[in-house]
Amino acid sequence: MIGKYVITSAMLLCAGVTSSAATKSLVDMQRDSVIASHRIIYLNDDDSPKVYSDSIKYAIESFYYDQFRHFQDPDAPYFLFMSKDARLAMGIGGCVRMRGWYDWDGAQPTSAFSPYLIPIDKDPAKMRHFDTTPAGTCLFFRVIGRNKTLGYYQLYIEANFNGYQSRDFHLKKAYAVINDFTIGYANSTFSDPAAVPATVDANGPNNKISPTSILVRWMPTIKKRYTFAVSVETPSQQIDVDKITTSKVDSWMPDFAAFAQYQWNRGEHVRLSGIVRTMSYRDIEAAKNHNVVGWGLLLSSVAHPWTPVTTYATVSYGRGYGSTGGDLQVGSYDLVGDAERPGYMYAPASYGWNIGLQYNFKPNLFSTVTASHTRYLPKGEIDGSEYKYGLFFAANVFWNLTPRMQVGAEFDLGKRQNFDGRHSWGQRIGAMAQFSF
């Protein structure tokens, strides 16, 4: 069964390799319209500054052609301040985003749709639910420049209104890039946000691997086709101790992540990512600490095999990597108790996949369908009420009224299956409106 999913996903991952470099996709055409919407303010006294147009274009495109850019990330600022010699660009921007949703036949307790949270025993008082949220509204600051000593560099800070009750200001990213090095709070090397299809729902596919951590990363590109990355990252682990036979131990070893990528066009690539992490716990009765090694692999791709079509695909497998994203991030699945050996814990296996297809009717009008699956593979006897797997399906349509105004609507369908055979489906209709500046 696993082999079938892996083979199917691998075929989809490679489907875009036949994309023609000579024909620009409609996605790129839409991106070009956003790039063209910028207002450049030059920091000199001349209304017609003598700067190189290619330097200006390079600085603006750097906002969009990012290895870790996701569809829901904000656009570059409308106003960019450019130095006289075009070596420095600075912008302060943001996004006003509003979402609304309606659940029926059993409501989920959060604004994000997650099959893990679909109630098996449905509460008659919570069968239907309508709500709205400003979560995802954000402000950010970015500087991009080139220096004779440092070379290429950029600084980025982003904060979202998605904290307490979806209204508190919450730091999302804060990092610096100097040539091939990234230092700060950024997307993990063990992720590929560009390979995740567009969704109205903030959570997206239930196999979305998208951790963020404080890291140091080296990411060189060779001959424009090959990109490699290695990083040391601050761990964030979810360990299911019972505080009777086992207890937590402070993290003492960073996570190590890496990827290798081949890109045949800007915005089209195949990537293999991996992560290795050391997780610790204490056997209370034996008064002894134990270390368990967890790991994960992620194969991902985004491609434009045909001018109006974009394909997305990911497949992942590993042990003890549940907290890196998806359904298993909701629980504590990095280390779980061993039912056959009290006082011992192990890193359970899990796998998942996601496929998505986007069709652009026009550069500013497109629809996406996506399917995703996450399966938990523990050993030994498991409580029947434990999560076994989740399925996620979504279909949506997005319309860019202007390069910086977008509306969208979506239907989400999910299933939670337990080990005892009990299962439940969840449905949601959502809508979104946003304005970037």
Side-chain angles (χ1 to χ4, degrees):
M1 182 66 70
I2 295 177
K4 180 182 72 175
Y5 289 134
V6 171
I7 292 172
T8 302
S9 298
M11 292 173 63
L12 288 166
L13 289 170
C14 298
V17 177
T18 59
S19 173
S20 173
T23 304
K24 182 173 290 188
S25 71
L26 294 184
V27 172
D28 287 328
M29 293 180 188
Q30 168 62 20
R31 185 179 288 119
D32 288 345
S33 71
V34 178
I35 293 174
S37 72
H38 293 286
R39 169 65 175 168
I40 308 297
I41 301 174
Y42 301 97
L43 302 180
N44 63 4
D45 297 326
D46 189 351
D47 291 335
S48 300
K50 297 178 181 179
V51 294
Y52 296 103
S53 60
D54 59 338
S55 297
I56 298 173
K57 183 179 180 181
Y58 170 81
I60 296 175
E61 288 185 347
S62 296
F63 285 91
Y64 295 96
Y65 289 98
D66 187 314
Q67 292 285 359
F68 294 96
R69 178 173 173 77
H70 181 253
F71 168 80
Q72 294 180 357
D73 288 342
D75 292 326
Y78 179 76
F79 291 101
L80 290 175
F81 297 92
M82 182 75 69
S83 64
K84 184 176 181 179
D85 59 2
R87 292 181 178 272
L88 180 68
M90 179 185 70
I92 300 175
C95 174
V96 176
R97 179 182 289 140
M98 297 294 160
R99 291 187 177 97
W101 70 94
Y102 174 72
D103 292 347
W104 70 95
D105 193 25
Q108 294 194 33
T110 63
S111 60
F113 188 87
S114 172
Y116 186 96
L117 297 174
I118 295 174
I120 297 295
D121 297 311
K122 299 181 178 180
D123 185 344
K126 297 181 179 180
M127 296 300 291
R128 294 177 293 177
H129 183 77
F130 168 76
D131 211 338
T132 59
T133 179
T137 297
C138 67
L139 292 172
F140 68 92
F141 174 87
R142 180 169 242 164
V143 171
I144 295 178
R146 285 184 288 180
N147 181 274
K148 292 182 179 180
T149 302
L150 297 177
Y152 167 83
Y153 67 91
Q154 66 168 296
L155 305 173
Y156 186 74
I157 297 175
E158 181 185 344
N160 282 25
F161 291 92
N162 61 355
Y164 178 68
Q165 294 184 343
S166 300
R167 289 168 175 80
D168 281 1
F169 212 37
H170 178 80
L171 182 66
K172 184 177 181 180
K173 296 177 184 177
Y175 61 84
V177 177
I178 303 175
N179 291 323
D180 296 331
F181 288 92
T182 300
I183 303 172
Y185 187 49
N187 290 102
S188 169
T189 304
F190 184 64
S191 69
D192 191 356
V196 178
T199 58
V200 168
D201 181 74
N203 200 47
N206 70 326
N207 190 53
K208 183 174 71 174
I209 307 299
S210 58
T212 303
S213 64
I214 297 176
L215 54 79
V216 177
R217 174 168 54 228
W218 180 54
M219 190 175 70
T221 296
I222 301 173
K223 296 182 179 180
K224 297 183 179 181
R225 294 281 187 176
Y226 305 93
T227 300
F228 303 92
V230 292
S231 63
V232 179
E233 307 184 0
T234 303
S236 178
Q237 302 163 357
Q238 296 175 348
I239 301 175
D240 189 28
V241 297
D242 59 17
K243 299 183 181 180
I244 298 175
T245 61
T246 55
S247 62
K248 291 185 178 180
V249 172
D250 288 344
S251 299
W252 59 276
M253 178 70 74
D255 293 345
F256 299 94
F259 76 65
Q261 172 178 297
Y262 173 75
Q263 57 261 2
W264 56 94
N265 254 335
R266 299 191 79 175
E268 298 182 86
H269 65 252
V270 173
R271 177 186 298 181
L272 178 62
S273 312
I275 190 170
V276 177
R277 50 206 328 228
T278 299
M279 298 168 288
S280 303
Y281 71 95
R282 184 170 182 80
D283 184 335
I284 296 176
E285 184 176 349
K288 184 178 180 180
N289 294 346
H290 297 275
N291 302 313
V292 179
V293 176
W295 57 273
L297 293 174
L298 174 67
L299 181 63
S300 56
S301 176
V302 57
H304 306 300
W306 186 28
T307 302
V309 173
T310 303
T311 59
Y312 305 88
T314 64
V315 58
S316 62
Y317 179 81
R319 294 181 178 273
Y321 76 108
S323 63
T324 60
D327 264 358
L328 298 183
Q329 190 178 27
V330 182
S332 297
Y333 293 99
D334 289 341
L335 287 183
V336 298
D338 190 333
E340 299 176 356
R341 304 174 66 191
Y344 283 82
M345 305 188 77
Y346 71 99
S350 62
Y351 75 89
W353 53 263
N354 169 63
I355 54 175
L357 180 69
Q358 176 176 315
Y359 186 87
N360 280 67
F361 304 97
K362 298 179 179 180
N364 66 332
L365 178 64
F366 66 89
S367 179
T368 302
V369 292
T370 182
S372 184
H373 173 81
T374 295
R375 184 176 289 264
Y376 179 45
L377 301 170
K379 66 178 185 179
E381 294 185 7
I382 303 299
D383 188 291
S385 63
E386 180 62 80
Y387 171 96
K388 182 178 182 180
Y389 69 82
L391 293 172
F392 172 83
F393 305 95
N396 56 50
V397 61
F398 288 91
W399 179 28
N400 290 75
L401 289 81
T402 72
R404 292 184 170 273
M405 292 183 63
Q406 184 182 74
V407 294
E410 179 173 276
F411 171 69
D412 298 316
L413 176 66
K415 177 186 178 183
R416 173 179 171 138
Q417 176 80 37
N418 288 350
F419 276 92
D420 60 7
R422 301 184 68 199
H423 67 273
S424 184
W425 291 86
Q427 298 85 210
R428 171 174 292 184
I429 292 177
M432 179 273 296
Q434 70 176 36
F435 176 81
S436 300
F437 60 91

